[in-house]
Amino acid sequence: MRSVLRAAVFLAVLLSATVLSIDFAQAAGKPKGKAEAAAKQAAPAVNKGKAPASRQARAAEPAARKSLTKAGSTKPAPSAGKPQTTATRNAARQLAAPTSRTSSRHASQLAAAPAKAPGRSLAQAAKKVQPGPASHRLALAEPKKSVRHALASPPDLWQEPSQLAVHSGSALVVAQDSSEALYEKNSQAVLPIASITKVMTAMVVLDSMPSLQAPITITEEDVDYLRGSRSRLHVGTVLTRETALLLALMSSENRAANALGRNYPGGLAAFVAAMNRKAAALGMSSTRFEDPTGLSSNNVSTARDLARMVAAAHRYPLIREFSTTTGARAEVNGREIEFHNTNQLVSSPTWEIGLSKTGYIQEAGKCLVMQARVAEKPVVIVLLDAAGKQTRIGDANRIKRWMESASASGRSPTRV
């Protein structure tokens, strides 16, 4: 009986030992399989045949160690013969993890990095922009669109009063056929008119219908002692009334103009009275004359009144001819003397002037009146109280260009 019991106990112990050895072997085999699988993925395949188990374990060990090192572990990989299930499992995880972590890291870097702007100019502009979202930086980095300013075309510029820079103190441009004012500046100011007076002198002389070939003599009464102006017509000079009229209008000869008035029926006083009556008849209500030369500053008028006077004088053929003559030779005391027009514009090929007269005394400044055809339109131009020597000439040229620009645009000048 005892022998039977001993045999049963022995068999039970043997069976238990066998089971334990089988479990131990299975437990040790599982880590080997996982390590071998990791080694196969990490190490390159040398041949397609099956390697011995020990060689596979040795190949898996360096790969596992390498993957553990990448994961930050400083411990060497466990031997394949020892059942380190946790370490082996971590090694297998590390072999698969870098790919996903790398891709996610690159994705985060790409998201954080600024978008590359196409073209060098956009990339350079993006560097100057403050950090921010990539789309915002690109919007600021876009090149600015060119802006086209709506500028007034040249035909429109003449309509602006500031574009017609008239520097004379008083000015007026009127259409001769309708008396419509195209431009005016202080046109109602009463100002001294200097030798513009001689236009009225010529009309009064011609209205009396004298003999133009009758001789008149320059006397002491014709000498200017008021301002001391010079003259080449010396006392005692004899010339025809026609020549005196020519020199008064063309060269603004004061002694010739005074001699014409003095030789008027009734004398100088009657002549001045006739001048004022003529002015009143023309509607020149702000005009007063005191002498036939304009040397007196009491000879005053307005640009408006003078435009009336010029329009009326233009109806006298001799005034048109004499006032626009560029130069002439006159016989004075047996010798010829050359005289020239005081208005340089009459000799300009760009001007078509029908009547002209200049004037100057200190109180009046530089003055100019003209009848001219500008842009195919007959106009009267009055310029008074100009300071500079060439100001009145410059103003006349500016008025001409102003009207011609209007004509070129197909428009009629508008009052400004």
Side-chain angles (χ1 to χ4, degrees):
M1 190 64 175
R2 286 181 180 178
S3 61
V4 175
L5 290 173
R6 286 175 183 166
V9 171
F10 177 77
L11 289 174
V13 171
L14 182 61
L15 182 61
S16 300
T18 303
V19 172
L20 289 174
S21 65
I22 292 172
D23 291 340
F24 181 81
Q26 290 179 351
K30 290 180 180 179
K32 283 184 180 179
K34 292 183 179 180
E36 288 174 3
K40 287 180 181 180
Q41 293 179 4
V46 178
N47 51 50
K48 296 183 180 180
K50 293 183 179 180
S54 61
R55 187 181 300 172
Q56 292 176 357
R58 285 196 300 270
E61 184 177 350
R65 186 183 295 112
K66 185 177 181 181
S67 61
L68 287 173
T69 303
K70 288 184 179 179
S73 175
T74 58
K75 295 181 180 180
S79 175
K82 295 181 180 180
Q84 298 293 335
T85 308
T86 304
T88 307
R89 188 179 296 113
N90 290 339
R93 289 176 181 173
Q94 294 297 333
L95 288 174
T99 303
S100 61
R101 278 205 303 271
T102 302
S103 60
S104 62
R105 184 168 62 253
H106 286 305
S108 62
Q109 290 176 355
L110 289 174
K116 187 176 181 181
R120 182 180 179 185
S121 60
L122 286 180
Q124 290 176 345
K127 291 179 182 179
K128 300 179 181 179
V129 182
Q130 296 297 327
S135 59
H136 180 60
R137 288 200 298 273
L138 282 179
L140 292 177
E142 290 180 357
K144 294 180 180 180
K145 297 180 180 180
S146 59
V147 180
R148 296 183 62 187
H149 297 284
L151 298 177
S153 58
D156 294 333
L157 293 179
W158 69 268
Q159 294 189 21
E160 297 296 331
S162 59
Q163 297 298 322
L164 181 53
V166 173
H167 301 297
S168 298
S170 177
L172 180 66
V173 181
V174 297
Q176 185 179 357
D177 51 0
S178 64
S179 298
E180 177 191 3
L182 306 179
Y183 177 87
E184 55 184 325
K185 174 184 178 181
N186 299 327
S187 61
Q188 300 290 358
V190 178
L191 301 170
I193 61 174
S195 288
I196 304 300
T197 298
K198 294 183 176 71
V199 175
M200 180 61 77
T201 298
M203 283 194 290
V204 172
V205 168
L206 293 173
D207 285 347
S208 65
M209 301 180 67
S211 172
L212 296 179
Q213 300 305 318
I216 58 174
T217 304
I218 303 298
T219 67
E220 194 70 29
E221 296 179 58
D222 303 322
V223 177
D224 172 26
Y225 292 106
L226 177 63
R227 300 183 183 275
S229 59
R230 299 179 58 185
S231 175
R232 289 185 290 174
L233 300 179
H234 303 294
V235 174
T237 298
V238 178
L239 63 165
T240 65
R241 184 177 274 110
E242 183 181 38
T243 300
L245 189 60
L246 170 64
L247 298 181
L249 290 173
M250 181 182 70
S251 299
S252 202
E253 260 291 343
N254 292 314
R255 293 182 182 181
N258 198 76
L260 287 169
R262 188 172 47 80
N263 283 276
Y264 183 81
L268 192 57
F271 186 80
V272 171
M275 293 173 69
N276 286 306
R277 285 196 302 271
K278 181 76 173 181
L282 294 175
M284 301 169 64
S285 58
S286 299
T287 302
R288 297 290 181 273
F289 293 106
E290 195 173 85
D291 80 315
T293 65
L295 289 172
S296 171
S297 60
N298 291 327
N299 287 14
V300 296
S301 187
T302 66
R304 280 278 182 182
D305 283 1
L306 293 180
R308 293 174 179 269
M309 183 184 74
V310 171
H314 187 257
R315 294 194 288 267
Y316 292 72
L318 209 56
I319 295 177
R320 295 200 303 268
E321 179 187 346
F322 287 175
S323 68
T324 57
T325 300
T326 58
R329 290 179 175 271
E331 185 176 345
V332 177
N333 296 332
R335 63 188 184 94
E336 286 189 348
I337 299 178
E338 190 171 352
F339 294 86
H340 299 280
N341 201 304
T342 54
N343 181 9
Q344 64 196 60
L345 293 179
V346 297
S347 58
S348 172
T350 63
W351 277 91
E352 186 180 347
I353 299 174
L355 186 149
S356 167
K357 188 69 196 78
T358 63
Y360 172 73
I361 57 173
Q362 186 175 0
E363 295 88 340
K366 300 283 185 177
C367 304
L368 174 65
V369 295
M370 290 193 302
Q371 187 282 337
R373 191 170 186 84
V374 180
E376 302 301 322
K377 189 178 186 68
V379 295
V380 173
I381 301 172
V382 179
L383 300 168
L384 304 176
D385 192 26
K389 184 177 181 180
Q390 292 295 319
T391 299
R392 59 189 175 185
I393 301 300
D395 283 346
N397 284 323
R398 281 183 283 271
I399 290 169
K400 181 174 180 290
R401 288 193 296 268
W402 172 69
M403 293 189 62
E404 287 172 344
S405 68
S407 177
S409 68
R411 306 176 183 180
S412 297
T414 304
R415 177 178 176 178
V416 293

